[in-house]
Amino acid sequence: MGLLTAACAAYASLAAWLWLTLAQGMFWRTDVRLPPRTAPARWPSVAIVVPARDEAEVLPRTLPSLLAQDYPGDAEVILVDDGSTDGTADLARRLAAARPGLPLTVTAPGDPAPGWTGKLWALRHGMALARTARTARVGAAPGPTPAPTPAPEYLLLTDADIVHAPDSLRELVAAATSADLDLVSQMARLRVASAWEGLVVPAFVYFFAQLYPFRRVNRPGARTAAAAGGCVLLRTEAAVRAGVPDSIRQAVIDDVSLARAVQGSGGRIWLGLAERVESVRPYPSLADLWRMVSRSAYAQLRHQPLLLAGTVAGLVLVYLVPPAALLGGLAAGRPALAWAGGLAWLLMAGTYAPMLRHYRRPVLLAPALPFTALLYLLMTVDSAVQHYRGRGAAWKGRTYARPSDA
């Protein structure tokens, strides 16, 4: 009976990997980059909104990259200080004063209103401020009073830990205008400096793409919606139509919620991997990465115990059964069991290899994916445990309640 159960699990895992490889939107490919684009006849105006909470450590590397954007149209940067205690706002002003570039406005909305996450509260304030006359905020040149600047046509919502290449904004806008997209999002290249980052971070992006295959997201009329919150170019008109961020104010996983809201209101969205947009936030230890994943993993499952149980069972079947079946089959002299487990493990490693190459990691790490998946399984369970202990979705001193309890 035990061998029969093991064989059934091994064949089910192999079937799952055949389906994932062939029918899950080619999630494993890493060539989804900005769509073909040409320069628009007129470059639309853009406001870059940066929510920032205690970001003094990374701001000297990231904010100058935004201020130095080589953009032919009208653009500005609005940094929203979300209750920082490390001098983030003052540092931002000093960085802007030290070099010429796009105009910078630093503002603080105060503590989030009940039912709001801090980041979305900051984005709400920054987006509303962007729609006011810029001449009144940054001052006007000597001479006749200029006409008030109209609301920006696009908003670039970007995290404070993201470094942008000088042409980042120009390329994003060209992609949006060329393909008539309401939302263009790039998954920033995350930092992989430490050994633990190299083991865990590529898998994080791989799992995300498995859940939300980029090609499926980008298909016109698709039902799958997702975005990467570190870099989102959003048409202002689409934001108003979707009622964001107010309509998603309780969302902990705000990027996916934003994409769903825009798509649900008739907007066209696009998601891909970035080439020259990078996160510099460090996660040097396993504990740092554990907190990063566990703070939102249970929220991804909508705080549902049944979804948690299904996720755990799925992770075991898809990622842990193949190596167990291969080794167990070899030890028990059951070649069919070993072949099923080995083929499933081979498909797993083969689909993971492109992501490792994207992150410039050795492809020889691909067979270690079951171990990394086990870590993610434990992080997900810990996320649920922390939630029921009242410490779920904690981020920089804030803990967010389950949306229905907020």
Side-chain angles (χ1 to χ4, degrees), residues 369-391:
L369 186 57
F371 172 72
T372 307
L374 175 61
L375 290 177
Y376 274 91
L377 185 157
L378 296 174
M379 294 172 189
T380 302
V381 172
D382 181 60
S383 178
V385 171
Q386 297 305 318
H387 170 77
Y388 289 111
R389 288 180 175 176
R391 298 196 297 267

Side-chain angles (χ1 to χ4, degrees), residues 177-243:
T177 55
S178 297
D180 192 26
L181 296 167
D182 294 290
L183 184 152
V184 179
S185 179
Q186 289 184 294
M187 173 70 76
R189 189 188 296 271
L190 307 178
R191 199 185 95 135
V192 290
S194 72
W196 282 112
E197 287 171 335
L199 182 69
V200 174
V201 166
F204 177 85
V205 183
Y206 173 85
F207 293 146
F208 183 89
Q210 194 176 82
L211 286 171
Y212 307 105
F214 295 168
R215 280 177 168 76
R216 193 168 291 171
V217 169
N218 300 340
R219 189 184 306 156
R223 298 178 61 183
T224 304
C231 177
V232 176
L233 182 74
L234 176 63
R235 196 194 303 266
T236 304
E237 180 182 303
V240 173
R241 187 171 61 243

Side-chain angles (χ1 to χ4, degrees), residues 66-298:
L66 292 173
L67 299 174
Q69 284 300 297
D70 179 18
Y71 184 66
D74 184 51
E76 64 170 323
V77 180
I78 300 174
L79 185 138
V80 187
D81 182 20
D82 179 23
S84 299
T85 58
D86 65 350
T88 289
D90 290 338
L91 175 59
R93 295 186 183 96
R94 292 197 301 271
L95 290 169
R99 67 195 70 205
L102 299 183
L104 171 71
T105 299
V106 179
T107 183
D111 292 335
W116 284 80
T117 66
K119 178 179 177 180
L120 289 173
W121 180 250
L123 285 176
R124 180 181 189 268
H125 186 76
M127 292 166 68
L129 190 62
R131 291 195 290 267
T132 66
R134 199 182 82 182
T135 52
R137 290 187 278 107
V138 301
T145 302
T149 305
E153 296 161 83
Y154 286 88
L155 301 159
L156 174 59
L157 313 179
T158 183
D159 289 346
D161 65 311
I162 302 296
V163 174
H164 289 259
D167 61 351
S168 176
L169 179 59
R170 187 171 69 242
E171 294 299 310
L172 285 165
V173 171
T177 55
S178 297
D180 192 26
L181 296 167
D182 294 290
L183 184 152
V184 179
S185 179
Q186 289 184 294
M187 173 70 76
R189 189 188 296 271
L190 307 178
R191 199 185 95 135
V192 290
S194 72
W196 282 112
E197 287 171 335
L199 182 69
V200 174
V201 166
F204 177 85
V205 183
Y206 173 85
F207 293 146
F208 183 89
Q210 194 176 82
L211 286 171
Y212 307 105
F214 295 168
R215 280 177 168 76
R216 193 168 291 171
V217 169
N218 300 340
R219 189 184 306 156
R223 298 178 61 183
T224 304
C231 177
V232 176
L233 182 74
L234 176 63
R235 196 194 303 266
T236 304
E237 180 182 303
V240 173
R241 187 171 61 243
V244 295
D246 297 60
S247 61
I248 59 170
R249 60 186 178 275
Q250 297 180 344
V252 175
I253 306 175
D254 51 84
D255 44 12
V256 174
S257 299
L258 172 63
R260 287 172 176 166
V262 172
Q263 185 192 73
S265 63
R268 291 191 59 199
I269 66 175
W270 185 93
L271 170 65
L273 292 172
E275 294 177 314
R276 301 172 65 204
V277 177
E278 301 182 359
S279 171
V280 297
R281 189 177 304 286
Y283 294 101
S285 69
L286 178 59
D288 297 318
L289 289 160
W290 193 289
R291 284 190 293 270
M292 184 269 288
V293 174
S294 66
R295 72 183 177 90
S296 60
Y298 198 40

Side-chain angles (χ1 to χ4, degrees), residues 12-59:
S13 183
L14 177 58
W17 275 109
L18 288 170
W19 182 84
L20 286 169
T21 304
L22 300 175
Q24 184 61 356
M26 291 189 288
F27 76 94
W28 42 269
R29 295 186 58 171
T30 57
D31 58 349
V32 182
R33 308 299 166 87
L34 284 176
R37 53 206 177 275
T38 57
R42 180 189 65 82
W43 289 92
S45 56
V46 183
I48 304 172
V49 181
V50 187
R53 179 173 172 82
D54 291 335
E55 299 288 7
E57 179 183 1
V58 298
L59 215 57

